[in-house]
Amino acid sequence: MAATLGQDDVERVATLARLAITSAEREQFAKQLTDILRYVEQVQQVDTSDVLATSHPLWAESAWREDTPQPSLPTSEALANAPDANQDAGLFRVPKVIG
Amino acid sequence: MTTHPSVRPAIAAALSRIEQAQPALQAFQSVASDLALARAEVLDAAGGTAGSLHGVAIGLKDNIVARGFTSTAGSKILEHYRSPYSATVVDRLEAAGAVIVGTTRCDEFAMGSSTDNCAYGPVHNPWDLTRTPGGSSGGSAAAVAAGLVPVALGSDTGGSIRQPAALCGVVGVKPTYGRVSRYGLIAFASSLDQIGPLARSTREAAQVLEVISGHDPRDSTSAQQPVPAFTASLNGDVRRLRIGVPRHLITSDVDRDVRTAFDTALDVARSLGATVEDVELPHTDMGIAVYYLIATAEASANLARYDGVRYGARAEGVSTLGDMYERSRHDGFGAEVKRRIMLGTYVLSAGYYDAYYKKAQQVRTLIARDYTRAFESVDLIALPTSPCAAFRLGERADDPLQMYLADVFTVGANLAGLPGVSVPCGLTADRLPIGLQFIARPWEEATMLRMADAYEAATPWKTETPPTR
């Protein structure tokens, strides 16, 4: 894998990450991420045929519980940290989604 | 730990120490004097000293939430976030009589090894104010080293408790993955994050670990494991304990002072009756690469929640929803967080997932297997905690990869889910602390704490204090 991140790649990744970036950041990230990728690429030299991927370091049992209602945060508290909310209606407010 | 017949004066004294030290150290992000004093009065009114941490002042890393406290996780995006609930560790500490006095400064979202990545400015090391306290739990380590609080909590994703503990000359414990509930920990990398204590002594750290450990139905990754009385295991008897040393990792890249202190520490362990032998951890040199692939991938998913809707800052003057997401995240996150979100997003994206993320998860399996194999012949693995003592603030801030390499001895325990402890083991020629690390089998914190405590009792390092104290 040729690990060179061009500015187009950076732009594409930023879009996927929902992150606005300036042209200066685009340039800087292209260089820094390329350096980091070239370093981490060493994992590709390891023979991992028949090796399972670890997603949980110690065990893989699911934690089950009965699906019973429990007390939760009151709506007013859940809304208290929102940048914009309608407390009376119990809603978060966001800019228009459809024009 | 001292118990206080009257809690309020003790807490007031801690608050005043913090206030005096704050201009030089910047160890605290916010101090909750009113909440802490009110809590102290409640304890005094109730009378008695029932809880094992009765009246003990505790600093909370700024990424662990407590009801009524501001928790920024070192980020501008959470500048005004006040949690409506408390982390399980906070509930447990308070139930044991402890008093949270404030939040300690850390790298943004715990991403860093120096506190240089804190949006509010770095923490200064009490041993030398021009140097880093380590990170990301640098504020917790500096606060304990400077004697502001006897104990602070940190979080450790790739070394973020143990490395600052080493650089500040205190004890830091990263428990087994699943030992301590993460409910209320602002998530960074969920297959790696673990909360643990920093304290002046192994005994105090063990006492706090005992309180915060145990299954929590609110954290599906917390384990159904019995919690031993960790303090009861600190009996000083380490005879016939077998310590493995992965010599092949301790190369010339490790500072000479650190290597010398480490070898001397092994002699002390031998003199206490432990045996020391070489072990091989053949895949550990891949640790940093695997860690930065997995941690950034998980971080990119965890940090998707900062969208300017439910909490956190929203950019001004945005006209559409998409614009709001992108600009809120641009304005709210610092450079290192953006870099990691970008890297994590890239390695999870179509066409790269197998080559980077999945491959890293497979090599992670091999790293964990190396430890399992080593633990067939030894009880503990010893390593320096950090390849160097405290470096200067800002020194590595412009070189992210160089900063990552500082985690070389600590990421292994996170990748394999193992417990690790860092205990002071010397000072450099410049009087900067050096840390010794013991790593144990899963759930065997008691063994590693017993070794750390015995080592501590046999050496003078605990009595060394920073000049600013």
Side-chain angles (χ1 to χ4, degrees):
Chain A
M1 182 133 327
T4 300
L5 233 64
Q7 297 200 28
D8 290 355
D9 299 308
V10 171
E11 193 67 55
R12 181 181 62 86
V13 175
T15 305
L16 286 173
R18 291 284 194 179
L19 196 59
I21 52 171
T22 63
S23 57
E25 283 172 325
R26 193 165 54 228
E27 205 174 309
Q28 196 189 29
F29 285 151
K31 189 194 165 301
Q32 290 173 332
L33 293 174
T34 296
D35 284 351
I36 296 168
L37 276 176
R38 287 192 176 149
Y39 176 81
V40 297
E41 224 173 29
Q42 59 180 292
V43 297
Q44 287 159 2
Q45 296 153 13
V46 183
D47 179 5
T48 53
S49 32
D50 303 322
V51 177
L52 289 174
T54 292
S55 54
H56 187 300
L58 292 176
W59 74 100
E61 301 137 50
S62 296
W64 298 99
R65 61 168 171 78
E66 291 303 316
D67 187 17
T68 45
Q70 302 283 328
S72 59
L73 280 184
T75 309
S76 61
E77 288 193 30
L79 291 173
N81 277 292
D84 194 5
N86 182 332
Q87 279 281 4
D88 296 334
L91 300 169
F92 295 106
R93 198 185 278 123
V94 296
K96 262 191 198 172
V97 180
I98 303 165
Chain B
M1 210 163 291
T2 342
T3 56
H4 304 286
S6 179
V7 179
R8 197 185 191 284
I11 297 303
L15 291 168
S16 131
R17 286 194 300 272
I18 293 167
E19 195 186 334
Q20 279 168 28
Q22 188 63 9
L25 294 181
Q26 299 289 321
F28 277 78
Q29 178 64 25
S30 63
V31 181
S33 305
D34 295 349
L35 283 170
L37 290 171
R39 170 94 188 121
E41 282 161 16
V42 168
L43 286 168
D44 279 338
T49 55
S52 65
L53 299 175
H54 185 79
V56 174
I58 297 209
L60 204 59
K61 186 177 179 179
D62 197 27
N63 64 350
I64 302 172
V65 304
R67 189 178 165 84
F69 284 64
T70 302
S71 305
T72 75
S75 183
K76 282 277 180 229
I77 211 162
L78 288 177
E79 187 169 5
H80 304 292
Y81 179 73
R82 279 168 87 88
S83 178
Y85 71 102
S86 287
T88 297
V89 290
V90 169
D91 286 342
R92 288 184 178 174
L93 288 171
E94 290 187 338
V99 179
I100 313 291
V101 292
T103 55
T104 57
R105 199 165 269 196
C106 59
D107 286 293
E108 185 175 4
F109 289 108
M111 296 178 187
S113 310
S114 68
T115 70
D116 281 309
N117 297 333
C118 178
Y120 304 95
V123 178
H124 298 262
N125 190 319
W127 291 83
D128 177 344
L129 297 174
T130 67
R131 291 177 189 271
T132 176
S136 63
S137 313
S140 291
V144 172
L148 310 182
V149 283
V151 182
L153 290 191
S155 66
D156 192 313
T157 305
S160 278
I161 290 173
R162 291 161 288 157
Q163 185 257 17
L167 270 47
C168 287
V170 301
V171 175
V173 180
K174 181 250 168 217
T176 309
Y177 184 81
R179 177 64 95 186
V180 177
S181 167
R182 287 118 33 108
Y183 179 74
L185 172 68
I186 296 175
F188 162 16
S190 301
S191 79
L192 302 160
D193 297 340
Q194 191 62 199
I195 294 174
L198 296 97
R200 291 279 298 167
S201 68
T202 303
R203 182 165 294 277
E204 286 166 299
Q207 207 173 349
V208 171
L209 184 62
E210 226 166 270
V211 169
I212 62 174
S213 292
H215 179 252
D216 175 14
R218 287 174 156 154
D219 174 3
S220 63
T221 62
S222 85
Q224 304 263 8
Q225 284 280 334
V227 179
F230 296 119
T231 43
S233 68
L234 309 180
N235 61 9
D237 186 0
V238 295
R239 283 172 297 174
R240 286 179 299 281
L241 216 54
R242 296 163 303 173
I243 299 173
V245 179
R247 281 274 161 213
H248 60 107
L249 297 176
I250 306 167
T251 62
S252 55
D253 290 344
V254 179
D255 279 2
R256 184 184 298 273
D257 284 349
V258 173
R259 276 181 284 156
T260 306
F262 179 71
D263 288 336
T264 309
L266 294 177
D267 288 339
V268 173
R270 279 190 204 94
S271 74
L272 293 168
T275 61
V276 177
E277 60 192 87
D278 286 3
V279 290
E280 296 282 325
L281 297 172
H283 295 94
T284 298
D285 55 348
M286 293 286 162
I288 302 263
V290 169
Y291 173 78
Y292 279 94
L293 284 164
I294 290 174
T296 56
E298 293 182 9
S300 73
N302 272 328
L303 272 60
R305 71 190 65 181
Y306 302 100
D307 57 4
V309 178
R310 290 151 301 158
Y311 43 75
R314 177 185 294 186
E316 300 283 334
V318 289
S319 52
T320 67
L321 188 68
D323 193 30
M324 183 195 77
Y325 292 151
E326 297 195 344
R327 287 189 38 212
S328 298
R329 290 161 66 76
H330 173 268
D331 296 355
F333 292 141
E336 179 62 18
V337 171
K338 288 179 190 169
R339 245 186 320 265
R340 295 202 195 189
I341 290 174
M342 298 280 288
L343 182 64
T345 303
Y346 179 76
V347 303
L348 289 175
S349 66
Y352 300 97
Y353 181 94
D354 282 357
Y356 289 111
Y357 182 63
K358 188 178 171 210
K359 190 77 181 181
Q361 287 186 305
Q362 289 175 306
V363 181
R364 181 178 187 176
T365 305
L366 296 175
I367 291 172
R369 272 186 206 162
D370 287 350
Y371 280 96
T372 307
R373 202 158 296 144
F375 282 127
E376 285 167 9
S377 57
V378 296
D379 302 303
L380 293 170
I381 288 170
L383 275 170
T385 309
S386 162
C388 60
F391 46 94
R392 291 194 189 281
L393 282 165
E395 189 180 287
R396 300 185 186 182
D398 297 328
D399 189 348
L401 188 55
Q402 199 55 37
M403 188 77 95
Y404 298 173
L405 298 176
D407 302 339
V408 60
F409 295 135
T410 47
V411 293
N414 301 81
L415 291 169
L418 306 170
V421 59
S422 179
V423 62
C425 75
L427 295 171
T428 64
D430 299 334
R431 283 190 66 78
L432 296 171
I434 300 170
L436 166 68
Q437 181 181 210
F438 293 110
I439 298 166
R441 297 185 191 96
W443 318 114
E444 291 193 14
E445 286 90 350
T447 311
M448 109 196 158
L449 294 172
R450 180 154 52 95
M451 184 65 233
D453 173 67
Y455 173 78
E456 189 183 290
T459 53
W461 309 120
K462 193 169 75 172
T463 59
E464 296 279 359
T465 51
T468 52
R469 197 176 176 201

